[in-house]
Amino acid sequence: MLKQQLQFKLSQKLSPQQIQLMKLIQLPTQAFEQRLKQEIEENPALETGKEETETEYDSDLDNTADDFNEDDSINTDDINVDEYLSDDEVPDYRTQANNYSADNEEKTMPYAAGTSFTQYLINQLNTYSLSDEQRDIAEFLVGSVDDSGYIRRTLSDITDDLAFIQNIYTTEDKVEAMLKLVHQLDPAGVGARNLQECLSIQLHRKEKTPDIDLATRIIDTAFVQFTKKHYDKLIQKFDVSEMQLKDAISEIEHLNPKPGGSYSGNNRIVEHIVPDFAIKIVDGELELTLNGRNAPELHVSREYHNMLKGYKESKDKSNSQKDAVIFIKQKLDAAKWFIEAIKQRQQTLFITMSAIMHYQKEYFLTGDERNLKPMILKDIADEIDMDVSTISRVANSKYVDTPYGTKLIKEFFSESMKNDQGEDVSTREIKKILETVIEEEDKKKPLTDETLAAILKEKGYPIARRTVAKYREQLDLPVARLRKKM
């Protein structure tokens, strides 16, 4: 039986038009606009804007085509559905289990303009008087700085690379001397080999005060105790009061652990999100709108229609005219199909988002994530009688503007689990409650995962300690010991 089902699945075929429609549905607003622009440039029979009067192309098109029995059909026997479906067909919210898969959708994102981070550092090097060898070493070190601002290689490795790659034979002492020079560049902490050195560089460049002095000694001589938040040991080691330690730690917390990230000209990829939908609350009811940029005004070119009409009325039909009419027919067919595909795309997007909005009505009315119901792709697919893969394409790539911010639609999908009443509740709801409990805890005595599990059980969510740990990690919250504050 399984073998038969597998063979049936592999034998499914899609027409080129169906494949193109699926791709159009998957495109977010900005990418759709680019696709629209490309189609208009490539097909002169497709025009934008409203047409002044209605025209009837169908009969002329069919009758003219019959004049020379031109067959424009496309053989789809060799088109396999699996070649066109990306692996996002089974995303993490399609089933009750955690199924994480890559997003194969290509996205073109604009880059921030400006000087590169490396060039910014080299420009600073140019203000120093250096020998040729020193400059070569310093520029190599600057080129080794990663996006976070660190050089994560040993001096011996860098010395070897200088010899093998740059043909510069030098010593580790000379490389270290240039590394200290790099440490003088801005932003403070750049070129550090680890977090401890990064924080130490920044503290040593600050104006000396009792708090800065204590903070410097903590980082330089008791970094492990600091990272593990062994505050009692730090008080004892440096013979200071709790308030003095608190002030010193406050200075450390205001340092930049990633100096490379603070440089605005780092040419990092910047994604500009354009919401595909908007949800508003009007008189206590939800109102959904589709971004107007997804609904362009298109029509088939009247000029191309007239050219076809002129051929039909012509008495002498030469071979060259027939060739021209074949071209015209193809362009008109493509234009008509594209216009219809755009309409289907609009309808699919609106129907899908409308179903999601009504399914999660309580959330959209309140903005409280605890009101998010468990929802998987199949729930919406069954609701509107569409394929799960279609819902996946809408959810994975579209954003909606809500009264509570712009959200990726896939965020509204989640797994479910049973509460103590046997009801299905969203894991998003549990995570939100967990996050709230941790926010409100006494930071001097943070709650352990076991205690958090007990609290959630009291609230009606009987989940195991290891599940609490998993949700806490997904929320990017550290363990109790690392959440401790003075």
Side-chain angles (χ1 to χ4, degrees):
M1 183 65 181
L2 180 61
K3 184 177 180 181
Q4 289 178 337
Q5 289 176 339
L6 182 61
Q7 289 176 339
F8 175 74
K9 179 181 179 182
L10 292 176
S11 66
Q12 292 182 69
K13 310 296 179 184
L14 290 178
S15 69
Q17 287 82 5
Q18 288 173 312
I19 294 165
Q20 290 299 318
L21 178 58
M22 287 191 298
K23 289 182 178 180
L24 283 175
I25 290 172
Q26 184 166 339
L27 293 176
T29 298
Q30 282 189 307
F32 168 71
E33 287 183 314
Q34 291 299 317
R35 175 68 179 84
L36 177 65
K37 182 179 178 182
Q38 177 187 351
E39 188 71 21
I40 292 172
E41 289 176 349
E42 294 178 355
N43 190 351
L46 185 66
E47 294 182 350
T48 58
K50 289 184 178 180
E51 193 175 14
E52 293 180 2
T53 58
E54 292 186 5
T55 55
E56 297 179 357
Y57 303 116
D58 293 339
S59 59
D60 288 346
L61 196 62
D62 295 336
N63 294 336
T64 307
D66 291 338
D67 288 348
F68 43 84
N69 298 320
E70 178 63 28
D71 184 8
D72 289 326
S73 64
I74 300 173
N75 186 356
T76 61
D77 290 345
D78 296 327
I79 298 177
N80 190 321
V81 64
D82 293 333
E83 295 178 12
Y84 299 92
L85 298 180
S86 62
D87 60 353
D88 65 1
E89 299 311 320
V90 190
D92 55 339
Y93 47 83
R94 180 174 177 179
T95 65
Q96 299 290 347
N98 283 328
N99 295 318
Y100 297 97
S101 51
D103 181 5
N104 285 342
E105 178 191 352
E106 292 185 7
K107 297 179 180 178
T108 302
M109 300 180 185
Y111 284 79
T115 306
S116 71
F117 187 35
T118 301
Q119 188 59 50
Y120 173 68
L121 297 175
I122 290 176
N123 290 344
Q124 295 180 63
L125 284 178
N126 292 334
T127 64
Y128 291 87
S129 179
L130 302 172
S131 66
D132 290 343
E133 181 187 24
Q134 288 174 327
R135 182 168 299 281
D136 288 340
I137 295 172
E139 288 187 358
F140 188 84
L141 288 169
V142 163
S144 301
V145 173
D146 65 17
D147 288 343
S148 296
Y150 289 82
I151 295 177
R152 303 184 190 274
R153 312 196 59 224
T154 64
L155 291 177
S156 61
D157 287 343
I158 293 173
T159 305
D160 290 342
D161 282 351
L162 281 165
F164 295 133
I165 300 174
Q166 301 291 328
N167 203 27
I168 300 172
Y169 297 93
T170 186
T171 64
E172 288 186 26
D173 289 340
K174 290 182 179 180
V175 174
E176 186 172 15
M178 287 300 97
L179 181 60
K180 289 180 179 178
L181 174 64
V182 172
H183 289 169
Q184 297 176 34
L185 305 179
D186 290 326
V190 70
R193 287 161 288 183
N194 51 56
L195 178 60
Q196 181 181 11
E197 187 173 53
C198 179
L199 299 178
S200 178
I201 292 169
Q202 295 179 58
L203 287 168
H204 280 285
R205 287 175 63 170
K206 284 183 172 288
E207 182 180 350
K208 296 302 177 186
T209 65
D211 293 339
I212 295 296
D213 179 64
L214 178 56
T216 305
R217 286 189 289 151
I218 289 172
I219 294 301
D220 289 346
T221 65
F223 186 70
V224 175
Q225 289 94 322
F226 167 73
T227 57
K228 292 184 176 180
K229 299 198 174 184
H230 291 162
Y231 297 136
D232 293 339
K233 292 182 180 180
L234 292 175
I235 290 173
Q236 184 178 1
K237 178 180 176 66
F238 297 106
D239 191 23
V240 293
S241 66
E242 184 176 319
M243 183 56 69
Q244 287 175 310
L245 180 61
K246 185 176 182 180
D247 291 340
I249 289 175
S250 177
E251 291 288 350
I252 296 172
E253 289 176 343
H254 283 83
L255 301 176
N256 187 356
K258 294 183 178 181
S262 64
Y263 181 66
S264 61
N266 204 5
N267 279 0
R268 293 187 174 175
I269 294 175
V270 178
E271 182 181 5
H272 298 285
I273 296 173
V274 176
D276 305 271
F277 308 92
I279 293 178
K280 296 180 180 179
I281 302 175
V282 180
D283 298 329
E285 294 295 329
L286 297 174
E287 182 180 279
L288 174 67
T289 55
L290 177 65
N291 189 323
R293 291 158 68 174
N294 288 288
E297 294 177 344
L298 300 173
H299 64 268
V300 177
S301 168
R302 171 175 286 278
E303 181 182 354
Y304 264 60
H305 171 257
N306 290 338
M307 289 168 64
L308 195 65
K309 189 176 181 181
Y311 170 80
K312 181 182 179 181
E313 295 173 351
S314 173
K315 294 182 180 180
D316 298 324
K317 295 180 173 59
S318 64
N319 289 332
S320 61
Q321 285 179 310
K322 289 182 180 181
D323 290 339
V325 123
I326 292 173
F327 173 80
I328 293 170
K329 178 184 182 301
Q330 290 172 341
K331 293 301 180 183
L332 288 174
D333 279 340
K336 288 171 63 181
W337 174 84
F338 192 76
I339 292 171
E340 182 60 32
I342 296 303
K343 292 178 181 178
Q344 289 186 46
R345 177 181 182 272
Q346 294 169 13
Q347 184 180 33
T348 301
L349 295 186
F350 194 85
I351 290 174
T352 303
M353 188 63 227
S354 180
I356 294 171
M357 180 183 73
H358 287 100
Y359 201 99
Q360 301 290 6
K361 183 176 181 179
E362 290 185 36
Y363 165 75
F364 286 115
L365 286 174
T366 64
D368 189 344
E369 289 189 7
R370 290 173 294 185
N371 289 332
L372 277 172
K373 296 166 59 178
M375 180 175 71
I376 59 175
L377 293 178
K378 192 174 184 301
D379 294 329
I380 300 301
D382 291 345
E383 183 80 19
I384 59 178
D385 195 24
M386 286 188 182
D387 192 81
V388 170
S389 64
T390 303
I391 311 303
S392 172
R393 282 176 167 78
V394 175
N396 273 355
S397 59
K398 307 293 185 298
Y399 288 83
V400 57
D401 183 24
T402 75
Y404 325 106
T406 300
K407 309 285 186 180
L408 180 63
I409 294 172
K410 70 180 292 185
E411 294 178 1
F412 304 128
F413 292 81
S414 65
E415 305 164 2
S416 67
M417 66 164 293
K418 302 286 186 183
N419 62 12
D420 58 357
Q421 302 296 317
E423 301 169 333
D424 282 336
V425 293
S426 169
T427 53
R428 288 286 299 274
E429 177 182 340
I430 298 172
K431 287 179 185 178
K432 185 62 179 179
I433 294 171
L434 178 62
E435 188 176 28
T436 302
V437 170
I438 291 176
E439 285 177 358
E440 296 175 352
E441 71 184 356
D442 181 357
K443 295 305 178 185
K444 291 185 177 181
K445 296 179 180 179
L447 303 171
T448 64
D449 290 343
E450 190 172 351
T451 306
L452 290 169
I455 292 173
L456 286 171
K457 186 175 181 180
E458 291 176 3
K459 292 180 176 289
Y461 306 97
I463 59 177
R465 182 203 59 79
R466 62 180 179 276
T467 307
V468 169
K470 182 181 78 170
Y471 290 168
R472 177 179 51 72
E473 289 170 0
Q474 290 174 353
L475 291 167
D476 200 22
L477 295 171
V479 295
R481 176 172 52 78
L482 297 181
R483 299 199 306 272
K484 184 177 181 182
K485 292 185 178 181
M486 294 294 294

